[in-house]
Amino acid sequence: MARRRMVYEGKAKILYEGPEPGTYIQYFKDDATAFNAEKRDVIEGKGVLNNRISEHIMSALNGIGVPTHFIRRLNMREQLIRQVEIIPLEVVVRNVAAGSISKRLGIEEGEPLPRPIIEFYYKDDALGDPMVSEEHIVAFNWANQQDIDDIIALALRVNDFLTGLFLGVGIKLVDFKIETGRIWDGDFQRIIVADEISPDSCRLWDIETGRKLDKDVFRRDLGSLTDAYSEVAKRLGILPQNATKPRSGPKLVH
Ligand code: TMP
């Protein structure tokens, strides 16, 4: 049997050639990395949770007319996606100060920001994904000004949607990262959401307790990452409430 062709392997996912032209299969690994892969571990079950959570979010975005690369989930770890030409930027949207903005600007973690703030980072592991400005993006031709305007509009729509989605289940969306890609409809280019949206790429805090339900649990050694991600999945209604409890065995019927 012919083996499918691997197209790309990243830190947390693998892309394979898809069943039809213009598609890929995106496989979610259990690998967790932080600080540009200085810290790494394999966390059993993380890939399965992120596949489900990202499916849930991406299909909801598709449903409200925010275009994404997601087509459908195939199995526990894989989803069918549209091939896009990835724009080499990590687009971060922040609602509340945390992480690198707190360090860089001396703003206490948890301080609400006056408005959503968008930042761009150039996707290059060797350089440690440096922050860049619109000037860099246009000058080095990673995207033109129209693309940047489209990316900002897309990121803000995702922010509005995700903020409401998580608020409804008692979670504060502190910040998140998306990646975007180009697709072509004949001569027309569209920019759509790509990659994944999961607790790996968001900061999610329980509204009541402040408990962290995202990858900071791994970055900062705060406990079980899969417990945190399962909690997010449960609240979103995509895991049964008792999914992590051991099942009882078969019962004898008299
Ligand atoms: P930061 O505070 O470390 O800059 O992260 C901002 C948001 O972006 C946070 O939700 C985590 C996410 N993020 C990624 O998804 N990938 C990355 O490589 C980094 C550095 C952050």
Side-chain angles (χ1 to χ4, degrees), residues 194-249:
D195 191 52
E196 73 181 289
I197 301 180
S198 73
D200 264 13
S201 56
C202 301
R203 280 200 176 89
L204 304 170
W205 295 354
D206 180 80
I207 285 176
E208 296 289 322
T209 64
R211 177 182 167 203
K212 293 185 193 341
L213 298 170
D214 57 64
K215 203 163 105 180
D216 274 346
V217 171
F218 170 72
R219 294 190 191 97
R220 305 179 186 191
D221 295 317
L222 300 175
S224 159
L225 192 71
T226 45
D227 279 1
Y229 288 21
S230 301
E231 179 65 25
V232 174
K234 271 186 233 164
R235 293 205 198 174
L236 291 173
I238 53 184
L239 262 192
Q241 294 298 321
N242 59 357
T244 51
K245 295 207 186 100
R247 296 208 191 105
S248 57

Side-chain angles (χ1 to χ4, degrees), residues 92-97 101 107 111-120 134 152-153 156 159-160 163 173-175:
V92 169
V93 183
R94 302 180 186 273
N95 300 303
V96 174
I101 196 176
I107 309 172
E111 188 73 36
L113 296 167
R115 45 170 263 190
I117 294 176
I118 298 184
E119 296 170 345
F120 299 102
E134 294 188 23
I152 291 173
L156 290 175
N159 186 44
D160 283 347
T163 298
L173 177 67
V174 171
D175 57 30

Side-chain angles (χ1 to χ4, degrees), residues 9 35 41 50 58 64 72 83 86 103 124 167 211 215 225 231 245 251:
E9 177 158 15
F35 315 117
D41 203 350
N50 280 351
M58 294 278 192
I64 60 159
R72 66 173 180 278
Q83 251 179 46
I86 286 284
K103 273 212 189 99
D124 186 320
L167 192 61
R211 177 182 167 203
K215 203 163 105 180
L225 192 71
E231 179 65 25
K245 295 207 186 100
K251 289 201 173 69

